[in-house]
Amino acid sequence: MSVRALEAGVCADAYQIGTTSYAYRGTEKIASVKQFYSPECDENYGYVWVWKSFLDKQIKFDLQVGVWSYDRSTLLGVRREYDSLNQEFWVTAPTLSTTAPRGTAP
């Protein structure tokens, strides 16, 4: 488990659910977007990993990450970062029946 995950309070038994999605800046794929679940803590986590190939360009970016609730048609556990050069982002969201990770980098 990464330092950022520990700082965000991600439970140690969390594992990826669903498939990996991607965030784009224009047509360039710049980040992986995933969802994790912890049975022990009964929590969902949204996760974004910005690729080094993009970070090496030293372009500051804005980012939003959360877990999409299909049942509520809303983004849960939303975190927004502005003018960032960080690589790893986590959010915690309540456990609901139908969710998916979401990350955007406008």
Side-chain angles (χ1 to χ4, degrees):
M1 180 116 3
S2 72
V3 171
R4 293 257 184 196
L6 293 173
E7 289 172 351
V10 176
C11 292
D13 69 327
Y15 61 91
Q16 183 177 344
I17 57 175
T19 59
T20 300
S21 295
Y22 300 97
Y24 292 82
R25 184 174 186 267
T27 59
E28 180 184 10
K29 194 183 292 186
I30 65 165
S32 299
V33 180
K34 300 179 181 186
Q35 183 176 356
F36 288 78
Y37 172 70
S38 164
E40 182 179 319
C41 297
D42 193 30
E43 290 180 329
N44 277 310
Y45 306 98
Y47 168 80
V48 174
W49 178 267
V50 181
W51 294 359
K52 187 177 181 307
S53 58
F54 179 74
L55 292 175
D56 285 346
K57 296 175 184 180
Q58 292 294 303
I59 299 171
K60 291 185 178 181
F61 58 91
D62 299 340
L63 178 131
Q64 175 177 278
V65 60
V67 176
W68 181 256
S69 167
Y70 289 101
D71 297 338
R72 297 183 186 177
S73 295
T74 192
L75 195 59
L76 306 172
V78 178
R79 175 180 174 189
R80 293 178 181 89
E81 293 283 329
Y82 301 97
D83 294 326
S84 182
L85 291 172
N86 292 326
Q87 185 165 46
E88 183 177 0
F89 303 87
W90 289 89
V91 296
T92 302
T95 302
L96 299 171
S97 59
T98 310
T99 58
R102 288 288 186 263
T104 59

